[in-house]
Amino acid sequence: MIIDEIKEAVSKDFISKNTRQDGRNFLQYRDITVTKNIIPNAEGSALAQIGDTKVYAGVKIDLATPYADKPDEGIIVVNSELSPIAHFKFESGPPTEESIELARVVDRGLRSSGAVDFKKLFLEEEKVLSVYVDLAVVDHSGDLIDCSYLAAMAALKSTMVPKYEDGKLLHDERPNKLEILNDVVCTSFEKISGKLLIDATDDEELASSGRVSFASCDDSHFCAGQKSGSAGFTVKEMDSMMDLALEQRKLLVSKL
Amino acid sequence: MKITKDQLLVNGKRNDGRSPDDLRSFKVTAGVLKKAKGSAMVEWGKNKVLVGIYGPGEVFPKHLTNYTKALVNVRYSMAPFCGAEEHGRSGPNRRAIEIGKVAKHVFENIILTRDFPRTQIDIYIEILQSDGGTRVAGITAASVALADAGIPCKDLVQGVSAGKVNDTVLVDLDKWEDNLGEGDCPVVVSLRSNEILLFQLDEVWTKQQVLQGFEKIFNAAKVLRQVQEESLKENYKEG
């Protein structure tokens, strides 16, 4: 599409001059806001915004049968929807590979970090709690992975667990908070004209040759990583992105 | 035989007798299929992976046609009988779709796609038997299959996974190390450009551990590359 080619050229032009269209430096997020409990019907919820990007996350808790290989542990399921409301390029229909990748990268970080203690979701034999984290991307102006992590994490931190009584889950009685053991946040880097920058807009993403995302669960540990796009990255670049991701961690955690 | 977590690394030896830097036995055979334009079979430890290449051919659906380069499509699929456990489901699941996507990015990098505008190149990865590390096995095989198909590429690529047991970084995880260990980090590298073309990571790692993993992976890739080259030469030997 000709418009995309123009947007790509403009983004590259700015970046080659060491600046960005919105005036930010390469390692600067747009304004971030996170609002918790925005969908009171859900057990936990949040709206995360990075610049014009908006992602809702809702947490629902249901009864489930545990997996056969982990009979004493609860379940977490992360799904995402790239709704056509969010961008003209998103279409309704079965989940695209982008949407599956987004959900799986968020899932990987939440699961690996041990943020949710699965053993505490055990109720009785053959009965555990299943935590569904659903991401609804409603406005896509870039950096969906980082924004989705913020939304999912904030929603989990606001989650109240329904009461379990006589084999049933009482959704209107939610006495206890879901215990969350650490804050998982993610910073994604885009490679544009050979340079690395964070929090790309959708226009900048058009110019990107590749992305690397690093999720961290404390000041020195990573709990998820993903490379996407055709660009290659040297070990030196990976090394510096890991440092930079940890540097951004404090800011992101302060928004949760 | 079932392996438990405390058997994964005993006195520096892994459950199958390897040391942390050792690869499992690795064999690749090019040109194993008749209809596909190029093909390869990898036997890596207990993994058996078959790759077939079709194209460059017409783009389907047509509206996706790119007038400046070839589209690359990767289908990663596990056969329902590939695991030692219960019967699997046919066709790609969510995990397989994600793997197909990141594998596609590897080949978008190395194939000279601008030589074949308005076409599509299909890479089919079939996991016939799985024992940990199937995505990297599939990609390592696919690189040989692309060469067998005569599709011009910048390099032969190699994939290896790194993992951790008791904070010791290991390469080339088998199924037990993957399931019971403390991390899985599959990586695909191009030795020619010295770049990482695929990187995924789960479980909890420090930066130093990740970097150690990269170093071991690059070393392992050199071993795999030699086997890849020999298998291609073998296939095109005169006489």
Side-chain angles (χ1 to χ4, degrees):
Chain A
M1 229 181 328
I2 189 77
I3 293 285
D4 282 358
E5 283 166 31
I6 294 167
K7 284 177 173 172
E8 179 185 333
V10 170
S11 297
K12 279 186 177 159
D13 191 39
F14 274 93
I15 286 158
S16 64
K17 291 174 186 147
N18 283 318
T19 174
R20 295 169 83 164
Q21 230 167 330
D22 52 15
R24 283 182 293 151
N25 72 42
F26 286 178
L27 299 174
Q28 188 183 355
Y29 273 100
R30 292 165 287 179
D31 287 342
I32 300 173
T33 47
V34 176
T35 317
K36 285 185 197 160
N37 298 313
I38 198 153
I39 311 288
N41 277 357
E43 276 82 3
S45 62
L47 167 62
Q49 304 181 67
I50 302 185
D52 293 330
T53 293
K54 285 191 180 70
V55 179
Y56 284 87
V59 175
K60 292 298 293 177
I61 295 186
D62 273 325
L63 289 178
T65 316
Y67 292 123
D69 56 338
K70 287 174 182 166
D72 58 345
E73 292 186 12
I75 295 167
I76 186 167
V77 180
V78 182
N79 259 302
S80 75
E81 203 197 345
L82 302 181
S83 166
I85 202 175
H87 200 274
F88 73 93
K89 273 188 196 154
F90 294 164
E91 290 170 16
S92 53
T96 56
E97 47 178 42
E98 282 74 24
S99 156
I100 290 171
E101 182 185 33
L102 174 65
R104 286 184 57 86
V105 171
V106 175
D107 179 284
R108 200 173 298 156
L110 297 178
R111 199 178 292 279
S112 298
S113 63
V116 178
D117 187 349
F118 293 110
K119 293 228 157 61
K120 291 219 168 118
L121 301 176
F122 176 80
L123 298 169
E124 56 184 284
E125 204 169 318
E126 289 295 292
K127 267 204 177 134
V128 295
L129 293 176
S130 177
V131 178
Y132 295 93
V133 181
D134 284 280
L135 298 161
V137 175
V138 296
D139 213 345
H140 168 33
S141 294
D143 205 13
L144 291 182
I145 295 180
D146 298 5
C147 198
S148 298
Y149 260 100
L150 285 172
M153 204 61 222
L156 282 169
K157 288 182 85 165
S158 74
T159 298
M160 301 298 287
V161 182
K163 197 169 168 187
Y164 177 68
E165 210 173 69
D166 301 332
K168 283 195 184 107
L169 211 53
L170 309 175
H171 279 276
D172 47 1
E173 284 183 60
R174 301 170 182 173
N176 298 316
K177 280 196 86 149
L178 177 68
E179 199 183 336
I180 300 296
L181 300 172
N182 47 45
D183 291 320
V184 185
V185 292
C186 182
T187 296
S188 299
F189 299 82
E190 303 280 348
K191 195 182 233 184
I192 303 176
S193 302
K195 293 177 180 168
L196 295 172
L197 50 89
I198 65 166
D199 188 27
T201 64
D202 54 331
D203 285 3
E204 287 171 335
E205 284 175 1
L206 289 172
S208 168
S209 58
R211 169 198 304 141
V212 174
S213 303
F214 278 107
S216 60
C217 51
D218 61 37
D219 291 338
S220 58
H221 289 90
F222 299 97
C223 55
Q226 178 89 341
K227 199 223 109 192
S228 207
S230 66
F233 291 83
T234 62
V235 170
K236 206 172 149 215
E237 286 172 325
M238 299 295 274
D239 186 335
S240 87
M241 283 186 283
M242 282 190 269
D243 286 337
L244 294 168
L246 291 178
E247 278 172 28
Q248 295 296 336
R249 180 177 162 80
K250 204 170 162 193
L251 167 79
L252 295 168
V253 169
S254 75
K255 305 290 179 183
L256 292 172
Chain B
M1 194 177 62
K2 200 171 161 56
I3 304 288
T4 57
K5 193 171 189 309
D6 50 7
Q7 293 172 303
L8 289 181
L9 193 65
V10 182
N11 301 326
K13 289 277 176 223
R14 296 156 73 172
N15 74 76
D16 54 4
R18 283 185 291 158
S19 67
D21 295 355
D22 285 347
L23 293 169
R24 291 172 286 183
S25 63
F26 175 78
K27 185 183 163 203
V28 56
T29 318
V32 292
L33 301 175
K34 205 78 196 164
K35 293 287 181 192
K37 186 164 186 208
S39 60
M41 169 89 162
V42 153
E43 288 156 271
W44 189 345
K46 289 180 201 151
N47 290 310
K48 289 183 201 294
V49 180
L50 195 53
V51 177
I53 310 289
Y54 281 81
E58 258 182 78
V59 177
F60 183 80
K62 234 177 174 149
H63 72 270
L64 295 176
T65 306
N66 188 314
Y67 293 89
T68 64
K69 59 184 178 187
L71 294 181
V72 180
N73 170 42
V74 178
R75 181 183 188 268
Y76 165 101
S77 175
M78 295 184 100
F81 49 76
C82 72
E85 294 78 24
E86 69 273 22
H87 177 239
R89 296 213 180 130
S90 310
N93 56 14
R94 286 167 64 86
R95 169 181 171 276
I97 290 169
E98 187 201 350
I99 291 173
K101 180 178 187 290
V102 289
K104 173 180 76 181
H105 296 317
V106 170
F107 296 109
E108 286 171 343
N109 182 293
I110 61 158
I111 297 173
L112 299 181
T113 53
R114 294 197 185 272
D115 286 3
F116 308 99
R118 300 183 297 276
T119 68
Q120 172 171 326
I121 296 166
D122 290 302
I123 300 172
Y124 299 119
I125 301 175
E126 293 291 333
I127 311 300
L128 301 175
Q129 179 159 282
S130 65
D131 196 56
T134 54
R135 81 193 67 181
V136 288
I139 292 167
T140 306
S143 193
V144 173
L146 280 166
D148 180 52
I151 292 174
C153 291
K154 291 193 272 183
D155 197 4
L156 280 169
V157 295
Q158 300 80 31
V160 188
S161 62
K164 276 187 302 143
V165 173
N166 308 333
D167 277 333
T168 302
V169 177
L170 316 171
V171 284
D172 187 20
L173 308 188
D174 69 11
K175 175 178 79 179
W176 302 110
E177 292 165 338
D178 186 1
N179 292 346
L180 306 170
E182 300 143 18
D184 182 20
C185 176
V187 171
V188 174
V189 303
S190 160
L191 292 172
R192 194 168 170 197
S193 66
N194 231 347
E195 282 182 330
I196 289 168
L197 304 182
L198 177 146
F199 161 74
Q200 295 180 291
L201 177 133
D202 72 12
E203 298 300 323
V204 175
W205 299 66
T206 64
K207 185 182 101 166
Q208 284 316 318
Q209 289 168 335
V210 176
L211 293 176
Q212 229 183 75
F214 288 160
E215 196 189 327
K216 288 174 192 265
I217 286 166
F218 271 95
N219 286 335
K222 288 173 195 149
V223 179
L224 299 179
R225 191 197 171 93
Q226 228 166 14
V227 183
Q228 286 175 315
E229 282 177 0
E230 277 160 23
S231 95
L232 283 165
K233 280 180 196 157
E234 181 66 26
N235 216 32
Y236 292 97
K237 211 161 56 181
E238 277 182 70

